[in-house]
């Protein structure tokens, strides 16, 4: 039973070919393709409005120097948002439940923000490793602690995203299994678990959107520290 619960997180394959690439590229296929007109219909208007609102929200913590990252951060936000929401559909696969996928997104972008700070303002970036007014005997220990805290950021980003989505998927599968099993023996309890499943699904939709926003927001805050 435990293996069947975790089978949903294994990468699907067809004729021995991994389909994780298809699952990764699917969100981009859902967006309207551009043509020679700015607005082609209500869907394009809704898409432009959503992208505009997301970009404004992500640019709030950043000053003007960080606005050049708007395209990267907005594209990442849309990718994570669509990927997380599509993973809630039946018989689908969520690439962000794979820790390797989350770390592959978190580590390069975190490293880019760190290298940006070291290139533009090396003294200030290195000064974050030692808080002002630190007693002399505590300087080696604090430098070690702050360095560890800095290096663990991409791991925290990836694990947070993967763990929250994995926990939600497992809860949904556990409660849906209980609903199916109890339907023939205890219909009243089965109906109660069905209501819980419905409420949990709404909660997971919110979690999928919040986790995508938190992932990109933390990256923007790391960027602001280094610019």
């Amino acid at each position: 039973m435990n293996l069947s619960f975790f089978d949903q997180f294994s990468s699907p394959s067809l004729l021995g070919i991994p389909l994780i690439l298809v699952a990764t590229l699917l969100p981009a296929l859902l967006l309207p393709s551009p043509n020679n007109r700015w607005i082609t219909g209500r869907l394009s208007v809704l898409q432009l409005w959503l992208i505009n609102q997301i970009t404004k929200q992500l640019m709030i913590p950043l000053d003007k120097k960080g606005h050049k990252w708007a395209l990267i951060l907005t594209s990442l936000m849309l990718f994570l948002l669509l990927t997380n929401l599509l993973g809630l559909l039946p018989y689908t696969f969520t690439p962000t439940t794979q820790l390797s996928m989350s770390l592959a997104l978190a580590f390069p972008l975190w490293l880019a923000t760190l290298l940006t700070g070291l290139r533009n303002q090396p003294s200030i970036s290195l000064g974050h490793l030692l808080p002002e007014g630190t007693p002399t005997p505590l300087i080696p220990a604090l430098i070690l602690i702050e360095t560890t805290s800095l290096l663990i950021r991409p791991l925290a980003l990836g694990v947070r995203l993967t763990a929250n989505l994995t926990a939600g998927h497992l809860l949904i599968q556990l409660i849906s299994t209980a609903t199916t099993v109890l339907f023939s023996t205890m219909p009243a309890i089965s109906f109660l678990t069905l209501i819980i499943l419905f409420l949990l699904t709404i909660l997971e939709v919110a979690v999928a959107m919040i986790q995508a926003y938190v992932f990109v927001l933390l990256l923007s805050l790391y960027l602001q520290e280094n610019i």
Side-chain angles (χ1 to χ4, degrees), residues 18 26-27 31 42 78 83 86 101 106-107 116 121 123 180 203 216:
L26 183 59
L31 297 175
R42 292 184 178 88
L78 290 174
T83 302
L86 287 174
M101 178 73 179
F107 183 77
T116 299
Q121 46 182 18
S123 59
T180 305
L203 177 63
V216 183

Side-chain angles (χ1 to χ4, degrees), residues 69 72 76 100-116 154-155 157 215 219:
W69 289 65
I72 297 176
L76 179 64
S100 58
M101 178 73 179
S102 300
L103 291 179
L105 293 173
F107 183 77
L109 293 172
W110 166 83
L111 184 61
T113 62
L114 182 62
L115 293 179
T116 299
L155 181 63
L157 278 177
F215 187 94
L219 278 175

Side-chain angles (χ1 to χ4, degrees), residues 119-157:
R119 185 189 64 179
N120 296 335
Q121 46 182 18
S123 59
I124 298 178
S125 297
L126 294 176
H128 291 158
L129 301 179
L130 184 62
E132 187 177 357
T134 303
T136 304
L138 296 179
I139 288 179
L142 279 179
I143 290 178
L144 182 61
I145 292 173
E146 292 296 331
T147 304
T148 304
S149 171
L150 178 65
L151 296 178
I152 208 173
R153 283 180 174 181
L155 181 63
L157 278 177

Side-chain angles (χ1 to χ4, degrees), residues 175 178-180 182-183 186-198:
I175 296 178
T179 303
T180 305
L182 295 174
F183 181 75
M186 293 180 285
I189 303 298
S190 178
F191 180 73
L192 179 61
T193 56
L194 181 62
I195 296 176
I196 296 175
L197 178 62
F198 176 73

Side-chain angles (χ1 to χ4, degrees), residues 41-69:
R42 292 184 178 88
L43 186 59
S44 297
V45 174
L46 180 61
Q47 177 192 359
L48 291 174
W49 176 83
L50 178 62
I51 293 175
N52 186 35
Q53 294 300 316
I54 291 175
T55 305
K56 285 183 178 179
Q57 192 68 27
L58 293 178
M59 293 299 106
I60 290 177
L62 299 175
D63 55 18
K64 291 184 178 180
K65 293 182 180 179
H67 289 182
K68 63 181 68 175
W69 289 65

Side-chain angles (χ1 to χ4, degrees), residues 194-216:
L194 181 62
I195 296 176
I196 296 175
L197 178 62
F198 176 73
L199 297 177
L200 181 61
T201 303
I202 297 177
L203 177 63
E204 283 306 309
V205 171
V207 168
M209 294 187 290
I210 291 172
Q211 288 304 315
Y213 175 69
V214 168
F215 187 94
V216 183

